[in-house]
Every structure is written in C-alpha cells, then in structure tokens.
C-alpha cells in the first residue's frame, strides 16, 4: 500500500500546489454548465421528474467539479483526496438516473422507499470503503511511482469492477426504460430515442476506454464533458 503524507482526520487537502491545464479548465467549465442546468431545472421542476432530473445534474456537477480539482492538484495527497470525493457524484448518478427514468416513463410506483433503499446500498458501501484506510485500496490505489507524478492516475482495485458493472446496468436499464416509453408513445419519438441512446453510448464508450487504460484515453476521463450533450 502506498504511504502518503499524514493529514489530520477528516481534513480535505485542497492542494499544496496547483496546475491549470486545458482539460482541467474544460472540466471546470463543464461543472459551471451542470450547475446552471441544475439551477434552471430545479426552478422549473414542476413535479417529481423535474426534481429527479435536477438530482442527476447535481451528481454530474459533483463528478465534474471534484474531477477538475483532482486534475488541478499536483501533490499525491490532494489528488487522492479529490479522487475519493469524486465518488460522491459517481455513486449518486445511477440511482438518480433510475428515479428520473422511472418517473419519465410513468413508472412512478417504482420510485418507492424500498427500491430507493436498495439503490442506496451501493453508494453507502462504496463511500465507506473509500473512507476507511484498511479498505480504500480495494476501490482505487496508486503505485509507488505516483508520488513523483503530478498527473498521477489511480489504479482500479478489485471492488472497482463490480461498481463499474452495477453502474452500467442501472444506467443502461434506466435508459431503455425511457426508450420503451417513448416508442410506445409514438413512432415520432423514434428519432429522439436514437439520440438518447447515442448520447449515452459515446460518453460510456470513452469511460470504458479510460477505466481499461486504453492508450491516451487512460490518462483523462472525458465522460463528464461528453455528458453535457446528453
């Protein structure tokens, strides 16, 4: 396990040094876009589906904002801390997306206490694993040489892969729930369904390239930026 500098318990290290890169600035701009979208949707939510969509956007802005901070930090302690906090948005997104999809599809009865409690298990477990030093590296860890790398990227731990599969199943299942509702409503919406599918396929594809460390795509996760178009 990589030994990192000691910090006070509960302290969020911003960074001992900071760097601004093109991708970092782009991710910060992405955060601002998601913030504006979330505020706009919340003011005009009109019902449960609108509130769920606002929650989806909050998850995305948390993901993008903390990732921008992770990209900007140059010392490993801050990089690691921001990378951990990023998971708040990552684990909030699937249940929020499910709630929005179910309400959008007219399946409001699915968004009940029992289902939401079941969907909350995964986020709580993941965040507890990351918060505990003894289990942290089961989700993500850094090789020893990362100490000297201002652009260090975490390696996936063994429990990261079940998280990736679970998130994919919930996200894609929710998308197809929406697609089925649109197709049933009218053939006119078939073009809309195609756009919906493509809008998730492209970011998800890049996310897989990042997580599987494929070529240059393994250095930066463009998923939050690409999700703006969805």
């Amino acid at each position: 396990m990589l030994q990192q500098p000691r910090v006070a318990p509960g302290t969020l290290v911003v960074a001992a040094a900071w760097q601004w890169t093109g991708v970092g600035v782009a991710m910060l701009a992405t955060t601002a876009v998601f913030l504006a979208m979330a505020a706009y949707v919340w003011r005009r939510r009109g019902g449960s589906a609108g509130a769920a969509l606002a929650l989806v956007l909050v998850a995305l802005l948390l993901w993008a904002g903390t990732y921008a901070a992770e990209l900007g930090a140059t010392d490993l302690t801050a990089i690691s801390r921001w990378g951990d906090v990023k998971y708040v948005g990552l684990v909030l997104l699937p249940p929020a997306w499910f709630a929005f999809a179910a309400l959008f599809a007219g399946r409001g009865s699915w968004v009940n206490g029992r289902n939401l409690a079941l969907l909350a298990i995964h986020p709580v477990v993941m965040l507890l694993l990351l918060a505990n030093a003894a289990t942290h590296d089961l989700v993500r860890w850094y090789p020893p040489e990362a100490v000297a790398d201002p652009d260090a990227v975490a390696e996936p731990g063994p429990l990261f892969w079940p998280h990736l599969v679970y998130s994919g199943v919930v996200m894609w299942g929710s998308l197809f729930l929406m697609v089925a509702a649109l197709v049933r409503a009218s053939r006119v919406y078939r073009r809309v369904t195609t756009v919906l599918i493509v809008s998730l396929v492209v970011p998800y594809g890049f996310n897989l390239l990042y997580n599987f460390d494929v070529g240059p795509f393994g250095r930066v996760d463009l998923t939050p930026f690409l999700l703006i178009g969805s």
Side-chain angles (χ1 to χ4, degrees):
M1 181 185 298
L2 178 64
Q3 296 297 318
Q4 300 181 22
R6 291 179 176 272
V7 293
T11 299
L12 177 60
V13 178
V14 176
W18 199 263
Q19 62 178 352
W20 286 109
T21 61
V23 69
V25 171
M27 205 57 63
L28 198 60
T30 299
T31 306
V33 172
F34 283 132
L35 179 61
M37 292 171 66
Y40 177 85
V41 170
W42 180 255
R43 287 198 302 268
R44 293 161 176 77
R45 61 191 182 277
S48 300
L53 179 57
L55 188 59
V56 169
L57 294 168
V58 166
L60 288 171
L61 77 86
L62 287 173
W63 179 1
T66 51
Y67 188 40
E70 182 185 4
L71 290 170
T74 58
D75 57 286
L76 187 59
T77 299
I79 293 171
S80 178
R81 292 292 188 271
W82 283 115
D84 292 346
V85 177
K86 178 176 65 180
Y87 271 75
V88 175
L90 285 172
V91 298
L92 175 61
L93 182 58
W97 183 247
F98 165 79
F100 170 67
L103 292 165
F104 176 87
R107 304 283 184 176
S109 61
W110 292 9
V111 187
N112 54 50
R114 181 179 66 86
N115 288 340
L116 292 179
L118 290 173
L119 287 168
I121 293 173
H122 173 75
V124 170
V125 169
M126 289 297 295
L127 295 178
L128 287 176
L129 288 171
L130 287 168
N132 190 329
T135 57
H136 177 277
D137 289 5
L138 293 173
V139 180
R140 59 196 305 271
W141 60 281
Y142 292 89
E145 60 269 19
V147 174
D149 184 1
D151 300 311
V153 177
E155 299 287 341
L159 295 185
F160 170 79
W161 302 111
H163 155 73
L164 186 65
V165 171
Y166 170 84
S167 298
V169 168
V170 175
M171 293 291 289
W172 282 102
S174 301
L175 176 68
F176 284 115
L177 181 64
M178 295 171 63
V179 166
L182 286 170
V183 170
R184 284 198 305 269
S186 171
R187 290 186 177 182
V188 175
Y189 291 115
R190 286 186 177 179
R191 186 172 182 178
V192 177
T193 62
T194 302
V195 173
L196 273 173
I197 293 173
V198 172
S199 69
L200 189 59
V201 166
V202 174
Y204 189 70
F206 274 88
N207 184 251
L208 290 178
L209 291 173
Y210 171 75
N211 287 317
F212 283 97
D213 194 16
V214 178
F217 301 105
R219 298 298 299 176
V220 178
D221 185 5
L222 297 175
T223 311
F225 178 77
L226 293 171
L227 281 170
I228 288 179
S230 66

